[in-house]
Coordinates of all heavy atoms in Angstrom, one line a residue:
M19 N 0.9 -1.2 0.0 CA 0.0 0.0 0.1 C 0.9 1.2 0.0 O 1.6 1.4 0.8 CB -0.9 -0.1 1.2 CG -1.9 1.1 1.3 SD -2.8 1.1 2.9 CE -3.8 -0.5 2.7
A20 N 0.8 2.1 -1.0 CA 1.6 3.3 -1.1 C 1.2 4.2 0.0 O 0.0 4.4 0.4 CB 1.4 3.9 -2.4
N21 N 2.2 4.9 0.6 CA 1.9 5.8 1.7 C 1.1 5.2 2.9 O 0.2 5.8 3.3 CB 1.3 7.1 1.3 CG 2.1 8.0 0.4 OD1 3.3 8.0 0.5 ND2 1.5 8.7 -0.5
A22 N 1.6 4.0 3.1 CA 0.8 3.3 4.2 C 1.6 3.4 5.6 O 2.7 3.7 5.7 CB 0.7 1.8 3.9
H23 N 0.8 3.4 6.7 CA 1.2 3.6 8.0 C 1.1 2.2 8.6 O -0.1 1.7 8.7 CB 0.7 4.6 8.8 CG 1.3 4.9 10.2 ND1 2.5 5.6 10.3 CD2 0.8 4.7 11.4 CE1 2.8 5.7 11.5 NE2 1.7 5.1 12.2
D24 N 2.1 1.5 9.2 CA 2.0 0.2 9.7 C 2.4 0.3 11.2 O 3.5 0.9 11.6 CB 2.9 -0.7 9.1 CG 2.9 -2.2 9.6 OD1 1.7 -2.5 9.8 OD2 3.7 -2.9 9.6
T25 N 1.5 0.0 12.1 CA 1.8 0.3 13.6 C 1.3 -0.8 14.5 O 0.6 -1.6 14.1 CB 1.1 1.6 14.0 OG1 1.7 1.9 15.4 CG2 -0.3 1.5 14.0
G26 N 1.9 -1.0 15.7 CA 1.6 -1.9 16.6 C 0.8 -1.3 17.8 O 0.9 -0.2 18.0
Y27 N -0.2 -2.1 18.2 CA -1.0 -1.7 19.4 C -0.9 -2.9 20.4 O -0.9 -4.0 20.1 CB -2.4 -1.6 19.0 CG -2.7 -0.2 18.3 CD1 -2.6 0.1 16.9 CD2 -3.2 0.9 19.1 CE1 -2.9 1.3 16.4 CE2 -3.4 2.1 18.6 CZ -3.2 2.3 17.2 OH -3.5 3.6 16.7
K28 N -1.3 -2.4 21.6 CA -1.5 -3.4 22.8 C -3.0 -3.3 23.0 O -3.5 -2.2 23.2 CB -0.7 -3.0 24.0 CG 0.8 -3.2 23.8 CD 1.2 -4.6 23.7 CE 2.7 -4.8 23.7 NZ 3.0 -6.2 23.8
L29 N -3.8 -4.4 23.0 CA -5.0 -4.5 23.3 C -5.3 -5.2 24.6 O -4.5 -6.2 25.0 CB -5.9 -5.1 22.2 CG -5.8 -4.5 20.8 CD1 -6.6 -5.2 19.8 CD2 -6.2 -3.0 20.9
L30 N -6.3 -4.8 25.4 CA -6.7 -5.6 26.7 C -7.1 -7.1 26.2 O -7.7 -7.1 25.3 CB -7.8 -4.9 27.4 CG -7.4 -3.5 27.9 CD1 -8.7 -2.9 28.6 CD2 -6.3 -3.7 28.9
F31 N -6.9 -8.0 27.1 CA -7.1 -9.3 27.0 C -8.5 -9.6 26.6 O -8.9 -10.5 25.9 CB -6.7 -10.2 28.1 CG -6.9 -11.7 27.8 CD1 -6.0 -12.2 27.0 CD2 -7.9 -12.4 28.5 CE1 -6.2 -13.6 26.7 CE2 -8.0 -13.7 28.2 CZ -7.1 -14.4 27.4
E32 N -9.5 -8.8 27.1 CA -10.9 -9.0 26.8 C -11.2 -8.8 25.3 O -12.2 -9.4 24.9 CB -11.8 -8.0 27.6 CG -11.6 -6.4 27.0 CD -12.4 -5.4 27.8 OE1 -12.0 -5.4 29.0 OE2 -13.2 -4.8 27.2
A33 N -10.3 -8.3 24.7 CA -10.5 -8.3 23.1 C -10.1 -9.6 22.4 O -10.3 -9.6 21.1 CB -9.8 -7.0 22.6
F34 N -9.3 -10.3 23.0 CA -8.8 -11.6 22.3 C -9.9 -12.4 21.9 O -10.9 -12.7 22.6 CB -7.8 -12.3 23.2 CG -7.0 -13.3 22.6 CD1 -5.9 -12.9 21.7 CD2 -7.2 -14.6 22.7 CE1 -5.2 -13.8 21.0 CE2 -6.6 -15.5 21.9 CZ -5.5 -15.2 21.2
G35 N -9.8 -12.8 20.7 CA -10.9 -13.7 20.1 C -12.0 -12.9 19.5 O -12.8 -13.5 18.8
K36 N -12.0 -11.7 19.7 CA -13.1 -10.9 19.1 C -12.6 -10.2 17.9 O -13.3 -9.2 17.4 CB -13.6 -9.9 20.1 CG -14.3 -10.6 21.3 CD -14.7 -9.6 22.4 CE -15.2 -10.3 23.6 NZ -15.6 -9.4 24.7
L37 N -11.4 -10.3 17.5 CA -10.8 -9.5 16.5 C -10.3 -10.6 15.3 O -9.8 -11.6 15.7 CB -9.5 -8.9 17.0 CG -8.9 -7.7 16.2 CD1 -10.0 -6.5 15.9 CD2 -7.8 -7.1 17.0
A38 N -10.4 -10.2 14.2 CA -10.0 -11.2 13.1 C -9.1 -10.5 12.1 O -9.2 -9.4 11.8 CB -11.2 -11.7 12.3
L39 N -8.3 -11.3 11.3 CA -7.3 -10.8 10.4 C -8.2 -10.2 9.2 O -9.3 -10.7 8.9 CB -6.4 -11.9 9.9 CG -5.4 -12.4 10.7 CD1 -4.7 -13.5 10.1 CD2 -4.5 -11.3 11.2
G40 N -7.8 -9.0 8.8 CA -8.6 -8.3 7.7 C -9.7 -7.5 8.2 O -10.3 -6.8 7.3
E41 N -10.1 -7.5 9.5 CA -11.1 -6.7 10.0 C -10.7 -5.2 10.0 O -9.5 -4.9 10.3 CB -11.3 -7.2 11.4 CG -12.5 -6.4 12.1 CD -12.9 -7.0 13.5 OE1 -12.5 -8.2 13.8 OE2 -13.6 -6.4 14.2
S42 N -11.7 -4.3 9.9 CA -11.4 -2.9 9.9 C -11.5 -2.5 11.4 O -12.4 -2.8 12.1 CB -12.4 -2.1 9.2 OG -12.2 -2.5 7.8
V43 N -10.6 -1.4 11.7 CA -10.5 -0.9 13.1 C -10.4 0.7 12.9 O -9.8 1.1 12.0 CB -9.3 -1.4 13.8 CG1 -9.1 -0.7 15.2 CG2 -9.4 -2.9 14.0
E44 N -11.2 1.4 13.7 CA -11.1 2.8 13.6 C -10.0 3.2 14.5 O -9.8 2.8 15.7 CB -12.4 3.4 14.1 CG -12.4 4.9 14.0 CD -13.8 5.4 14.3 OE1 -14.3 5.1 15.5 OE2 -14.3 6.3 13.6
V45 N -9.1 4.2 14.0 CA -7.9 4.6 14.7 C -8.1 6.1 14.9 O -8.4 6.9 14.0 CB -6.6 4.3 13.9 CG1 -5.5 5.0 14.7 CG2 -6.4 2.8 13.7
L46 N -7.9 6.6 16.1 CA -8.1 7.9 16.6 C -6.8 8.5 17.2 O -6.4 8.3 18.2 CB -9.2 8.1 17.8 CG -10.5 7.3 17.5 CD1 -11.3 7.0 18.6 CD2 -11.3 7.9 16.4
P47 N -6.0 9.3 16.2 CA -4.8 9.9 16.6 C -5.0 10.9 17.7 O -6.1 11.7 17.6 CB -4.2 10.6 15.4 CG -5.0 9.8 14.3 CD -6.3 9.5 14.8
E48 N -4.0 11.1 18.6 CA -4.1 12.2 19.6 C -3.9 13.6 18.9 O -3.5 13.7 17.8 CB -3.2 12.0 20.7 CG -1.7 12.3 20.2 CD -0.7 12.2 21.4 OE1 -1.0 11.8 22.6 OE2 0.5 12.4 21.2
A49 N -4.3 14.6 19.7 CA -4.1 16.1 19.2 C -2.6 16.3 19.2 O -1.8 15.7 19.9 CB -4.8 17.1 20.3
P50 N -2.2 17.0 18.3 CA -3.0 17.9 17.5 C -3.3 17.4 16.1 O -4.0 18.0 15.3 CB -2.0 19.1 17.1 CG -0.6 18.5 17.1 CD -0.7 17.3 18.2
V51 N -3.0 16.1 15.8 CA -3.4 15.5 14.5 C -4.9 15.3 14.5 O -5.5 15.7 13.6 CB -2.6 14.2 14.3 CG1 -3.1 13.5 12.9 CG2 -1.1 14.6 14.2
G52 N -5.4 14.5 15.4 CA -6.7 14.1 15.5 C -7.4 13.5 14.4 O -6.6 13.0 13.4
G53 N -8.6 13.5 14.2 CA -9.2 12.8 13.1 C -9.6 11.3 13.3 O -9.4 10.8 14.5
R54 N -10.2 10.6 12.4 CA -10.6 9.2 12.5 C -10.1 8.6 11.2 O -10.3 9.1 9.9 CB -12.1 9.2 12.5 CG -12.7 9.5 13.9 CD -14.2 9.4 13.8 NE -14.8 10.0 15.0 CZ -14.9 9.4 16.1 NH1 -14.6 8.1 16.2 NH2 -15.5 9.9 17.2
Y55 N -9.4 7.4 11.2 CA -8.8 6.7 10.2 C -9.2 5.3 10.3 O -9.4 4.8 11.5 CB -7.3 6.8 10.2 CG -6.8 8.3 10.1 CD1 -6.7 9.1 11.1 CD2 -6.4 8.7 8.9 CE1 -6.2 10.3 11.0 CE2 -6.0 10.0 8.7 CZ -5.9 10.8 9.6 OH -5.4 12.1 9.5
T56 N -9.3 4.6 9.2 CA -9.6 3.1 9.1 C -8.4 2.3 8.8 O -7.6 2.6 8.0 CB -10.7 2.9 8.2 OG1 -11.8 3.6 8.4 CG2 -11.0 1.4 8.1
A57 N -8.2 1.3 9.7 CA -7.0 0.6 9.6 C -7.4 -0.9 9.4 O -8.6 -1.3 9.8 CB -6.0 0.5 10.7
T58 N -6.5 -1.8 8.9 CA -7.0 -3.1 8.7 C -6.0 -4.0 9.6 O -4.8 -3.8 9.6 CB -6.7 -3.6 7.3 OG1 -7.5 -2.8 6.5 CG2 -7.0 -5.1 7.1
V59 N -6.5 -5.0 10.4 CA -5.8 -6.0 11.2 C -5.0 -6.8 10.3 O -5.4 -7.6 9.5 CB -6.7 -6.8 12.2 CG1 -5.9 -7.7 12.9 CG2 -7.6 -5.9 13.0
K60 N -3.5 -6.8 10.5 CA -2.7 -7.6 9.6 C -2.0 -8.7 10.5 O -1.7 -9.8 10.0 CB -1.4 -6.7 9.1 CG -2.0 -5.7 8.1 CD -2.4 -6.5 6.8 CE -2.9 -5.5 5.8 NZ -3.4 -6.2 4.5
V61 N -1.8 -8.5 11.8 CA -1.2 -9.6 12.6 C -1.9 -9.5 14.0 O -2.1 -8.5 14.6 CB 0.2 -9.3 12.8 CG1 0.8 -10.3 13.7 CG2 1.0 -9.3 11.5
I62 N -2.3 -10.7 14.5 CA -2.8 -10.8 15.9 C -1.8 -11.7 16.7 O -1.6 -13.0 16.3 CB -4.1 -11.4 16.0 CG1 -5.1 -10.5 15.2 CG2 -4.6 -11.6 17.4 CD1 -6.5 -11.1 15.0
D63 N -1.1 -11.2 17.6 CA 0.0 -11.8 18.5 C -0.7 -12.9 19.4 O -1.7 -12.6 20.1 CB 0.7 -10.9 19.3 CG 1.9 -11.4 19.9 OD1 2.2 -12.7 19.8 OD2 2.7 -10.7 20.4
R64 N -0.3 -14.0 19.4 CA -0.9 -15.2 20.1 C -0.3 -15.3 21.6 O -0.7 -16.1 22.4 CB -0.7 -16.5 19.5 CG -1.2 -16.6 18.0 CD -2.6 -16.3 17.9 NE -3.5 -17.5 18.1 CZ -4.8 -17.5 18.2 NH1 -5.4 -16.3 17.9 NH2 -5.4 -18.4 18.6
V65 N 0.8 -14.5 21.8 CA 1.4 -14.5 23.1 C 1.0 -13.3 23.8 O 0.9 -12.1 23.3 CB 3.0 -14.3 22.9 CG1 3.7 -14.4 24.2 CG2 3.5 -15.6 22.1
H66 N 0.6 -13.5 25.1 CA 0.0 -12.5 25.8 C 1.0 -11.9 27.0 O 1.9 -12.7 27.4 CB -1.3 -12.9 26.6 CG -2.4 -13.4 25.7 ND1 -2.4 -14.7 25.2 CD2 -3.3 -12.6 25.2 CE1 -3.5 -14.8 24.3 NE2 -4.1 -13.7 24.2
D67 N 0.8 -10.8 27.3 CA 1.6 -10.1 28.3 C 0.8 -10.2 29.7 O -0.1 -9.5 29.9 CB 2.0 -8.7 28.1 CG 2.8 -8.0 29.1 OD1 3.0 -8.6 30.2 OD2 3.2 -6.8 28.8
A68 N 1.1 -11.2 30.6 CA 0.3 -11.4 31.8 C 0.4 -10.2 32.7 O -0.7 -9.9 33.4 CB 0.8 -12.6 32.4
A69 N 1.5 -9.5 32.7 CA 1.7 -8.4 33.7 C 0.8 -7.3 33.4 O 0.3 -6.6 34.3 CB 3.1 -7.8 33.6
S70 N 0.6 -6.9 32.1 CA -0.4 -5.8 31.7 C -1.8 -6.3 31.3 O -2.6 -5.4 31.1 CB 0.3 -5.0 30.5 OG 0.4 -5.9 29.3
G71 N -2.0 -7.6 31.1 CA -3.3 -8.1 30.7 C -3.5 -7.7 29.2 O -4.7 -7.4 28.8
T72 N -2.6 -7.6 28.3 CA -2.7 -7.2 27.0 C -2.0 -8.3 26.1 O -1.1 -9.1 26.4 CB -1.9 -6.0 26.8 OG1 -0.6 -5.9 27.0 CG2 -2.6 -4.8 27.5
F73 N -2.4 -8.1 24.7 CA -1.8 -8.8 23.7 C -1.5 -7.8 22.5 O -2.2 -6.7 22.4 CB -2.6 -10.0 23.3 CG -3.9 -9.7 22.5 CD1 -4.0 -9.6 21.2 CD2 -5.0 -9.3 23.3 CE1 -5.2 -9.3 20.6 CE2 -6.2 -9.0 22.7 CZ -6.3 -8.9 21.4
G74 N -0.6 -8.1 21.7 CA -0.3 -7.1 20.4 C -1.1 -7.4 19.3 O -1.4 -8.6 18.9
V75 N -1.3 -6.4 18.4 CA -1.8 -6.6 17.1 C -1.1 -5.6 16.2 O -0.5 -4.6 16.7 CB -3.4 -6.2 17.0 CG1 -4.2 -7.1 17.8 CG2 -3.7 -4.8 17.4
R76 N -1.0 -5.9 14.9 CA -0.4 -4.9 14.0 C -1.4 -4.4 13.0 O -2.2 -5.3 12.3 CB 0.8 -5.6 13.3 CG 1.4 -4.6 12.2 CD 2.8 -5.0 11.9 NE 3.7 -5.3 13.0 CZ 4.5 -4.3 13.7 NH1 4.5 -3.1 13.2 NH2 5.2 -4.6 14.6
L77 N -1.5 -3.2 12.9 CA -2.6 -2.6 12.0 C -1.8 -1.9 10.8 O -0.8 -1.3 10.9 CB -3.4 -1.6 12.7 CG -4.1 -2.0 14.0 CD1 -4.8 -0.8 14.7 CD2 -5.1 -3.0 13.6
E78 N -2.6 -1.8 9.6 CA -2.0 -1.1 8.4 C -3.1 -0.2 8.1 O -4.2 -0.6 8.0 CB -1.7 -2.0 7.4 CG -1.1 -1.3 6.2 CD -0.8 -2.4 5.1 OE1 -1.7 -2.7 4.3 OE2 0.4 -2.7 5.0
M79 N -2.8 1.1 7.7 CA -3.8 2.0 7.2 C -3.2 3.0 6.3 O -1.9 3.1 6.2 CB -4.4 2.8 8.3 CG -3.5 3.7 9.2 SD -4.4 4.4 10.5 CE -3.0 5.1 11.4
A80 N -4.0 3.5 5.3 CA -3.5 4.5 4.3 C -3.1 5.7 5.1 O -3.6 6.2 6.1 CB -4.5 4.7 3.4
N81 N -2.1 6.4 4.6 CA -1.6 7.6 5.1 C -1.2 8.6 4.0 O -0.1 8.9 3.8 CB -0.3 7.3 6.0 CG 0.1 8.6 6.8 OD1 -0.6 9.5 6.9 ND2 1.3 8.4 7.4
P82 N -2.2 8.9 3.2 CA -2.1 9.9 2.0 C -1.5 11.2 2.6 O -1.9 11.7 3.5 CB -3.5 10.0 1.5 CG -4.5 9.6 2.5 CD -3.7 8.7 3.5
G83 N -0.5 11.6 1.7 CA 0.1 12.9 2.1 C 1.0 12.8 3.4 O 1.4 13.9 3.8
L84 N 1.1 11.6 3.8 CA 1.9 11.4 5.1 C 1.5 12.3 6.3 O 2.3 12.9 6.9 CB 3.4 11.5 4.7 CG 4.0 10.7 3.7 CD1 5.4 10.8 3.4 CD2 3.8 9.1 4.1
K85 N 0.1 12.4 6.3 CA -0.4 13.3 7.4 C -0.1 12.8 8.8 O -0.1 13.6 9.8 CB -1.8 13.6 7.2 CG -2.2 14.3 6.0 CD -3.8 14.4 5.9 CE -4.0 15.2 4.6 NZ -5.5 15.2 4.3
L86 N 0.0 11.5 9.0 CA 0.2 10.8 10.3 C 1.7 10.7 10.6 O 2.4 9.9 9.9 CB -0.5 9.6 10.4 CG -2.0 9.6 10.4 CD1 -2.5 8.2 10.3 CD2 -2.6 10.4 11.6
P87 N 2.3 11.5 11.5 CA 3.8 11.4 11.7 C 4.0 10.0 12.5 O 3.0 9.6 13.4 CB 4.0 12.5 12.7 CG 2.7 12.9 13.3 CD 1.7 12.5 12.3
A88 N 5.1 9.5 12.4 CA 5.4 8.2 13.0 C 5.7 8.5 14.5 O 6.1 9.5 14.9 CB 6.8 7.7 12.5
G89 N 5.1 7.5 15.3 CA 5.2 7.7 16.8 C 4.1 8.4 17.5 O 4.2 8.5 18.7
I90 N 3.1 8.9 16.8 CA 2.1 9.5 17.5 C 1.2 8.5 18.2 O 1.0 7.5 17.7 CB 1.2 10.4 16.4 CG1 0.2 11.3 17.2 CG2 0.4 9.5 15.5 CD1 -0.4 12.4 16.3
K91 N 0.7 8.9 19.4 CA -0.1 8.1 20.2 C -1.5 8.0 19.5 O -2.0 8.9 19.1 CB -0.2 8.5 21.5 CG 1.0 8.4 22.3 CD 0.9 8.8 23.7 CE 2.3 8.8 24.4 NZ 2.1 9.2 25.9
C92 N -2.1 6.8 19.5 CA -3.5 6.7 19.1 C -4.2 5.7 19.9 O -3.7 5.0 20.8 CB -3.5 5.9 17.6 SG -2.6 6.9 16.5
K93 N -5.6 5.9 19.7 CA -6.5 4.8 20.4 C -7.2 4.1 19.2 O -7.4 4.6 18.2 CB -7.5 5.5 21.3 CG -6.9 6.1 22.5 CD -8.0 6.6 23.4 CE -7.3 7.1 24.7 NZ -8.3 7.5 25.7
A94 N -7.5 2.8 19.5 CA -8.2 2.1 18.5 C -9.7 1.8 19.0 O -9.7 1.5 20.2 CB -7.4 0.7 18.2
S95 N -10.5 1.9 18.2 CA -12.0 1.8 18.5 C -12.4 0.4 17.8 O -12.4 0.5 16.6 CB -12.8 2.9 18.1 OG -14.2 2.7 18.4
L96 N -12.8 -0.5 18.6 CA -13.2 -1.8 18.0 C -14.7 -2.1 18.4 O -15.1 -2.0 19.5 CB -12.4 -2.9 18.6 CG -10.9 -2.8 18.6 CD1 -10.2 -3.7 19.4 CD2 -10.4 -3.0 17.1
A97 N -15.5 -2.4 17.4 CA -16.9 -2.6 17.5 C -17.1 -3.8 18.5 O -16.4 -4.8 18.4 CB -17.5 -3.0 16.2
G98 N -18.0 -3.5 19.6 CA -18.3 -4.6 20.5 C -17.4 -4.9 21.6 O -17.5 -5.8 22.4
I99 N -16.3 -4.0 21.7 CA -15.4 -4.1 22.8 C -15.3 -2.8 23.4 O -14.9 -1.9 23.0 CB -14.0 -4.5 22.2 CG1 -14.1 -5.7 21.4 CG2 -12.9 -4.7 23.4 CD1 -12.8 -6.2 20.6
G100 N -15.6 -2.9 24.8 CA -15.6 -1.6 25.6 C -14.2 -1.5 26.3 O -13.5 -2.2 26.3
G101 N -14.1 -0.2 26.9 CA -13.0 0.1 27.7 C -11.8 0.5 26.8 O -11.9 0.9 25.6
R102 N -10.6 0.8 27.6 CA -9.4 1.3 26.9 C -8.9 0.2 26.1 O -8.4 -0.8 26.7 CB -8.5 1.7 27.9 CG -7.2 2.4 27.3 CD -6.1 2.6 28.4 NE -5.7 1.4 29.1 CZ -4.8 0.6 28.6 NH1 -4.3 0.7 27.4 NH2 -4.6 -0.5 29.3
V103 N -8.8 0.2 24.8 CA -8.2 -0.9 24.0 C -6.9 -0.4 23.3 O -6.2 -1.3 22.9 CB -9.2 -1.4 23.0 CG1 -10.3 -2.1 23.7 CG2 -9.7 -0.3 22.0
G104 N -6.7 0.8 23.1 CA -5.5 1.2 22.4 C -4.5 1.7 23.5 O -4.6 2.1 24.5
A105 N -3.1 1.4 23.1 CA -2.1 1.9 23.9 C -1.0 2.6 23.0 O -1.0 2.3 21.8 CB -1.4 0.7 24.7
P106 N 0.0 3.2 23.6 CA 1.0 3.8 22.7 C 1.7 2.7 21.9 O 1.9 1.6 22.3 CB 2.0 4.4 23.7 CG 1.2 4.6 25.0 CD 0.1 3.4 25.0
P107 N 2.2 3.0 20.8 CA 2.9 2.2 19.9 C 4.2 1.8 20.5 O 4.7 2.6 21.5 CB 3.1 2.9 18.7 CG 2.9 4.3 18.9 CD 2.0 4.4 20.1
P108 N 4.8 0.6 20.1 CA 6.2 0.3 20.6 C 7.1 1.4 20.5 O 7.1 2.2 19.5 CB 6.5 -0.8 19.7 CG 5.3 -1.4 19.2 CD 4.4 -0.2 19.1
G109 N 8.1 1.6 21.5 CA 8.9 2.7 21.4 C 8.5 3.7 22.1 O 9.4 4.8 22.4
A110 N 7.3 4.0 22.6 CA 7.0 5.0 23.4 C 7.5 5.0 24.8 O 8.0 3.9 25.2 CB 5.4 5.1 23.6
A111 N 7.6 6.0 25.5 CA 8.2 6.0 26.9 C 7.5 5.0 27.7 O 6.3 5.0 27.8 CB 8.2 7.4 27.5
R112 N 8.3 4.3 28.5 CA 7.7 3.2 29.4 C 8.1 3.5 30.9 O 9.2 3.9 31.1 CB 8.0 1.8 29.0 CG 7.6 1.4 27.6 CD 8.0 0.1 27.3 NE 7.7 -0.3 26.0 CZ 7.7 -1.5 25.5 NH1 8.3 -2.4 26.2 NH2 7.4 -1.7 24.3
Q113 N 7.2 3.1 31.7 CA 7.7 3.2 33.1 C 8.6 2.1 33.5 O 8.2 0.9 33.1 CB 6.4 3.2 34.0 CG 5.8 4.4 34.2 CD 4.7 4.3 35.4 OE1 4.2 3.3 35.6 NE2 4.4 5.5 36.0
E114 N 9.6 2.4 34.3 CA 10.5 1.3 34.6 C 9.9 0.5 35.8 O 9.5 1.2 36.8 CB 11.8 1.9 35.0 CG 12.9 0.8 35.2 CD 14.3 1.4 35.4 OE1 14.6 2.3 34.7 OE2 15.0 0.8 36.3
R115 N 9.9 -0.8 35.8 CA 9.4 -1.5 36.9 C 10.5 -1.9 37.8 O 11.5 -2.3 37.3 CB 8.7 -2.8 36.5 CG 7.4 -2.5 35.8 CD 6.7 -3.8 35.3 NE 5.5 -3.5 34.7 CZ 4.3 -3.9 35.0 NH1 4.2 -4.9 36.0 NH2 3.3 -3.7 34.3
K116 N 10.3 -1.7 39.2 CA 11.3 -2.2 40.2 C 11.0 -3.5 40.6 O 9.9 -3.8 40.8 CB 11.4 -1.2 41.3 CG 11.8 0.3 40.9 CD 11.9 1.1 42.1 CE 12.3 2.5 41.6 NZ 12.2 3.5 42.8
P117 N 12.0 -4.4 40.8 CA 11.9 -5.7 41.3 C 11.2 -5.6 42.7 O 11.6 -4.8 43.5 CB 13.2 -6.4 41.1 CG 14.2 -5.3 41.2 CD 13.5 -4.1 40.5
A118 N 10.4 -6.7 43.0 CA 9.9 -6.7 44.4 C 11.0 -7.0 45.4 O 12.0 -7.7 45.1 CB 8.8 -7.9 44.4
P119 N 11.0 -6.6 46.6 CA 12.0 -6.8 47.6 C 12.1 -8.3 47.9 O 11.1 -9.0 47.8 CB 11.5 -6.0 48.8 CG 10.2 -5.6 48.6 CD 9.9 -5.7 47.1
A120 N 13.3 -8.7 48.1 CA 13.5 -10.1 48.5 C 12.8 -10.6 49.9 O 12.8 -9.7 50.7 CB 14.9 -10.5 48.6
A121 N 12.2 -11.7 49.9 CA 11.6 -12.1 51.1 C 12.6 -12.3 52.2 O 13.7 -12.9 51.9 CB 10.8 -13.4 50.9
V122 N 12.3 -12.0 53.4 CA 13.2 -12.1 54.5 C 12.7 -13.3 55.4 O 11.5 -13.3 55.7 CB 13.3 -10.9 55.3 CG1 14.2 -11.0 56.4 CG2 13.7 -9.6 54.5
G123 N 13.6 -14.2 55.7 CA 13.1 -15.3 56.4 C 14.2 -16.3 56.7 O 15.5 -16.0 56.4
K124 N 14.0 -17.4 57.3 CA 15.0 -18.4 57.5 C 15.3 -19.3 56.3 O 14.4 -19.6 55.7 CB 14.5 -19.3 58.6 CG 14.4 -18.6 60.0 CD 13.9 -19.6 61.1 CE 13.6 -18.9 62.4 NZ 13.2 -19.8 63.4
P125 N 16.6 -19.5 56.2 CA 17.0 -20.4 55.0 C 16.4 -21.8 55.2 O 16.1 -22.4 56.3 CB 18.4 -20.4 54.9 CG 18.9 -20.0 56.3 CD 17.7 -19.1 56.8
M126 N 16.0 -22.5 54.0 CA 15.4 -23.8 54.2 C 16.5 -24.8 54.3 O 17.6 -24.8 54.1 CB 14.6 -24.1 53.0 CG 13.5 -23.3 52.8 SD 12.4 -23.6 51.4 CE 11.4 -24.8 52.0

């Protein structure tokens, strides 16, 4: 697809099994770009992230005139699935997780 934008999203686990390859998804870029775009589901990741309760998908959409800059945050709107389903694309700033403190006790 000429002038296409290919991006990854993290979706909440509740959406798993409700999405199909080739399905259309509405994409809503954040301000100042805004607007509504239609993307097509190209890949559905079968591996889940238990810590965040999400799984990945890859969407492809037309980007005529290259109006959508790379790295812009978007939300995805999926028919029949409520709640927050879109997350920042890979490469966005992430919070660093600190390891849990070691348990204190007697050795076995």
